[in-house]
């Protein structure tokens, strides 16, 4: 896996993902997503939340492009450990807050401040994927003018949800954009 753009562009990281319950976003899909985000958000002014953070790939990309306040949430211990180690190697620990906890508990907790950008890349077999737009958009986690992006597979269709602005497809990876 590699960081696509910004100050860490080209840096590679290899998570020891043997038997991990994570499915990292492909470089192809991640590059497509960040090309879109580059035109929609000001990374340097963005407070971001990464739910089901896995390897932290999304977080490294955000910070590499200038984001200085990123929150990562995942419950898988080895993934959280890997992200902590990678953040130290990249010297970005001041910009990354890490929570080892269940995403749904994090959402229920309703942190005091909210986010400009929320990304959720849940495991595709997760039964609760259809609930995520309602949970996140109804939780107060996203600022009124914020952007929520949900990564999902072709088994889910959010295009009829009136809050969904568009869906972009990269192979079997779909990104639904909500405001």
């Amino acid at each position: 896996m590699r960081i696509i753009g910004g100050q860490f562009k080209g840096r590679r990281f290899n998570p020891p993902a043997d038997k991990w319950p994570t499915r990292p976003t492909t470089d192809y899909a991640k590059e497509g997503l960040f090309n879109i985000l580059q035109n929609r958000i000001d990374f340097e002014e963005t407070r971001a939340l990464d739910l089901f953070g896995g390897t932290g790939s999304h977080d490294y990309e955000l910070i590499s492009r200038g984001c200085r306040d990123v929150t990562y949430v995942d419950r898988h211990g080895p993934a959280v450990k890997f992200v902590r180690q990678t953040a130290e190697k990249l010297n970005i620990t001041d910009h990354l807050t890490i929570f080892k906890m269940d995403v749904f508990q994090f959402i229920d907790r309703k942190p005091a401040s909210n986010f400009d950008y929320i990304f959720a890349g849940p495991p595709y077999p997760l039964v609760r994927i259809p609930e995520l737009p309602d949970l996140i958009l109804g939780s107060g986690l996203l600022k009124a003018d914020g952007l929520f992006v949900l990564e999902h597979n072709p088994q889910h269709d959010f295009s009829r949800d009136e809050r969904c602005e568009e869906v972009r497809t990269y192979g079997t990876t779909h990104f639904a954009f909500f405001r």
Side-chain angles (χ1 to χ4, degrees), residues 77-167:
V80 173
K81 180 181 177 184
F82 174 78
V83 170
R84 282 193 175 110
Q85 291 170 342
T86 305
E88 287 177 17
K89 287 178 188 172
L90 294 173
N91 197 26
I92 59 171
T93 56
D94 290 347
H95 307 300
L96 184 61
T97 304
I98 298 171
F99 287 92
K100 180 190 179 289
M101 69 184 302
D102 178 79
V103 165
F104 296 100
Q105 289 175 352
F106 181 87
I107 293 169
D108 287 344
R109 209 183 92 211
K110 295 183 178 36
S113 55
N114 49 18
F115 299 89
D116 304 292
Y117 171 66
I118 298 175
F119 177 79
Y124 287 169
L126 182 71
V127 176
R128 295 184 71 183
I129 289 175
E131 298 173 40
L132 287 170
D134 287 336
L135 288 173
I136 291 168
L137 297 173
S139 69
L141 285 173
L142 187 67
K143 289 183 179 177
D145 59 345
L147 175 64
F148 166 49
V149 176
L150 174 59
E151 179 178 346
H152 59 92
N153 64 11
Q155 275 73 34
H156 301 282
D157 181 8
F158 295 97
S159 62
R160 292 187 191 99
D161 185 319
E162 62 187 22
R163 301 163 300 180
C164 182
E165 291 183 333
E166 69 177 303
V167 176

Side-chain angles (χ1 to χ4, degrees), residues 26 28-36 168-175 177:
T26 65
Y28 167 69
K30 184 171 59 171
E31 185 170 11
L33 173 62
F34 274 88
N35 284 340
I36 295 167
R168 294 285 183 106
T169 302
Y170 300 90
T172 58
T173 300
H174 296 229
F175 295 112
F177 293 77

